[in-house]
């Protein structure tokens, strides 16, 4: 088989169009067509890149007497990261939505659905991911899920957002093992209004320490302290203090807390 015949065969096996392969290699579609027709030959750097892309040796590409594909021989210096990158084969839809490919799979993916080492799109999945709906090791989006996650609605081991859920969570509404927020729920909880095994609240805490503190074992409140569940006689006192001391911009949080204790 000639070099051109092998390139055509490999391209079709990996489901690339000539346009898609040209984009990956940084050449024109006409160049791919000439290579596959044996009218012209790729430069050395393009051959090396195609060898990595198609996981085949230079001997296989260049020697006509070798007809069976030979995989790349891993070197001692080849890292796990390098091996991972070689497994991500570029795919891009020709159909466009909002000026983006319907889907794009690649090392640096950008599409309506994007999957890659670095991905950005409406729905994005990657080690580093940005999108309206984002999922990744490092994730940024309106709805974001990841090891380190930042978004309006965020979930992760380390999470920050308007609504944040995680082992360590920081947000307007935060829930986690360690939780910091205006309204906070967690084993260790810090906020204006907080609840947890160990809770610190500026105005009220269902836990240990606050101006109003309600706890099962410890309650240290500078204004009101109560061990155990609130009685029907206690609730009006707490509500009255909250109404008189919580600033108006936190009125919505106060109402949520009042609903919680009632």
């Amino acid at each position: 088989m000639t070099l051109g015949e092998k390139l055509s065969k490999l391209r079709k096996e990996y489901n690339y169009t000539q346009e898609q392969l040209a984009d990956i290699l940084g050449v024109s579609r006409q160049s791919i067509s000439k290579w596959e027709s044996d009218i012209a030959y790729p430069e050395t750097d393009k051959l090396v890149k195609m060898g990595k892309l198609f996981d085949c040796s230079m001997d296989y590409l260049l020697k006509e007497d070798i007809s069976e594909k030979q995989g790349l021989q891993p070197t001692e210096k080849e890292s796990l990261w390098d091996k991972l990158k070689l497994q991500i084969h570029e795919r891009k839809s020709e159909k466009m939505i909002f000026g983006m490919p319907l889907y794009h799979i690649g090392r640096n993916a950008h599409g309506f659905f994007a999957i890659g080492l670095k991905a950005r799109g409406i729905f994005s999945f990657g080690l580093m991911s940005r999108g309206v709906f984002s999922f990744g090791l490092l994730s940024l989006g309106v709805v974001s899920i990841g090891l380190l996650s930042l978004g309006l609605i965020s979930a992760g081991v380390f999470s920050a957002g308007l609504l944040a859920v995680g082992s360590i969570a920081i947000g307007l509404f935060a829930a986690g093992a360690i939780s910091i927020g205006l309204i906070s729920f967690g084993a260790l909880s810090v906020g204006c209004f907080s609840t947890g095994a160990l809770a610190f609240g500026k105005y009220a805490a269902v836990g240990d320490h606050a101006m109003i503190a309600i706890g099962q074992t410890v309650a240290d409140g500078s204004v009101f302290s109560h061990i155990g569940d609130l009685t029907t006689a206690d609730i009006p006192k707490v509500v009255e203090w909250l109404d008189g001391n919580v600033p108006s911009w936190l009125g919505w949080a106060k109402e949520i807390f009042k609903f919680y204790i009632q």
Side-chain angles (χ1 to χ4, degrees), residues 20 23 92-104 110-113 122:
Q20 289 170 338
D23 286 341
K92 185 185 291 186
S93 170
E94 295 182 359
K95 183 177 180 180
M96 306 293 284
I97 297 181
F98 305 129
M100 297 181 291
L102 174 60
Y103 65 85
H104 188 185
H110 179 210
F112 191 86
F113 292 95
I122 304 300

Side-chain angles (χ1 to χ4, degrees), residues 76 157 162 182 200:
E76 292 182 1
V157 176
L162 182 67
L182 286 179
F200 298 85

Side-chain angles (χ1 to χ4, degrees), residues 105-158:
I105 302 171
R107 297 176 189 178
N108 295 288
H110 179 210
F112 191 86
F113 292 95
I115 302 174
L117 298 179
K118 295 181 180 179
R120 55 192 177 96
I122 304 300
F123 294 88
S124 62
F125 306 81
L127 293 182
M128 290 179 284
S129 178
R130 289 183 295 157
V132 178
F133 300 92
S134 178
F135 306 85
L137 189 67
L138 303 177
S139 180
L140 172 65
V142 177
V143 177
S144 177
I145 299 174
L147 179 66
L148 177 58
S149 178
L150 176 63
L152 291 181
I153 300 175
S154 177
V157 176
F158 301 96

Side-chain angles (χ1 to χ4, degrees), residues 21-44:
L21 182 57
D23 286 341
I24 296 169
L25 298 176
V27 298
S28 66
R29 186 200 63 78
Q30 289 77 12
S31 294
I32 302 297
S33 178
K34 289 180 181 179
W35 296 348
E36 293 184 355
S37 301
D38 291 311
I39 296 174
Y41 294 92
E43 297 174 353
T44 302

